[in-house]
Amino acid sequence: MKKVLIVDDMPLSQMIIDNMLAGRYQTFCASSAEEAIDFCRKKKPDLILTDFSLSGMKGTELLEKLREEAGEEVPIIFMTADDGVETVSSDSGIVDWIHKPFSPEALLHRVAKALEIAQQFSKSHETSAKRKILIVDDMFVSLMITENMLASEYETFCAQSAQEAMEIYRKEKPDMVLSDF
């Protein structure tokens, strides 16, 4: 069973999210960035689901601390009630954002997709040839950030429209398509 670390400084939020994931994932909860870092030192989660605005530390700071102190490369999903925080960029593992409040179905879908992507990336590291990834996003900045994150390990192709994506897909036959839909 995949391990999911839930990081939220609100006990009620932790309980609700834990209940949403129960039975499908082995969940662990941390109430602070320090607890999350300590957990990652002891056990490597398969995914971290963290509130973006923790008491005393923003999610991006937590991400940096996890990379520095725990040294673990795990996919991260940020949870937020704030608008506009998706513009925060990082090249060290953010997989997705989910806005609070969210339905159990939306959370389960995002977690499953993030774990699937992480598994596919892990498998692609095992092969010697560079895998091809088509990145589709109508927001140029997001497209460039994503490409920047992946370009050193993968052969990337970018499209800002469905038509452009289809043309690239037919021509290049990518191994994976990452799309903002």
Side-chain angles (χ1 to χ4, degrees):
M1 191 174 281
K2 298 283 186 183
K3 296 185 293 278
V4 176
L5 176 60
I6 301 164
V7 187
D8 201 311
D9 51 7
M10 302 291 291
L12 182 59
S13 293
Q14 278 185 8
M15 185 182 73
I16 291 169
I17 295 163
D18 186 51
N19 284 333
M20 288 179 180
L21 299 176
R24 291 183 172 91
Y25 303 99
Q26 185 178 9
T27 57
F28 302 89
C29 294
S31 298
S32 68
E34 292 77 19
E35 282 182 35
I37 292 165
D38 189 50
F39 178 88
C40 289
R41 285 183 184 133
K42 296 173 185 170
K43 288 185 177 181
K44 180 183 176 189
D46 296 298
L47 181 127
I48 298 174
L49 184 61
T50 182
D51 187 34
F52 182 73
S53 298
L54 296 170
S55 297
M57 189 178 293
K58 291 284 186 194
T60 51
E61 293 173 84
L62 170 60
L63 185 62
E64 290 174 23
K65 294 283 186 192
L66 287 171
R67 300 306 180 237
E68 289 171 13
E69 297 187 31
E72 302 294 342
E73 288 292 332
V74 295
I76 306 282
I77 297 177
F78 278 134
M79 303 177 289
T80 184
D82 301 330
D83 289 329
V85 295
E86 293 89 344
T87 58
V88 175
S89 66
S90 175
D91 60 0
S92 45
I94 297 172
V95 172
D96 205 354
W97 293 87
I98 188 164
H99 281 275
K100 293 178 181 180
F102 42 78
S103 69
E105 295 80 18
L107 179 63
L108 288 169
H109 176 76
R110 297 278 179 96
V111 168
K113 280 296 177 191
L115 288 168
E116 180 183 326
I117 289 168
Q119 184 175 3
Q120 289 174 352
F121 282 0
S122 176
K123 285 181 182 177
S124 69
H125 283 291
E126 296 169 6
T127 64
S128 59
K130 272 193 168 184
R131 305 284 302 247
K132 294 180 180 182
I133 297 179
L134 171 58
I135 307 162
V136 185
D137 196 322
D138 59 345
M139 292 185 62
F140 181 75
V141 172
S142 296
L143 190 66
M144 292 298 98
I145 290 170
T146 306
E147 181 184 31
N148 224 7
M149 289 171 44
L150 300 172
S152 65
E153 298 290 324
Y154 304 94
E155 185 176 355
T156 58
F157 303 92
C158 297
Q160 285 189 271
S161 69
Q163 181 179 354
E164 185 180 7
M166 289 305 298
E167 289 172 15
I168 293 170
Y169 185 86
R170 285 186 197 106
K171 181 180 175 187
E172 298 297 337
K173 306 286 190 245
D175 299 298
M176 179 186 284
V177 177
L178 295 177
S179 178
D180 171 37
F181 56 92

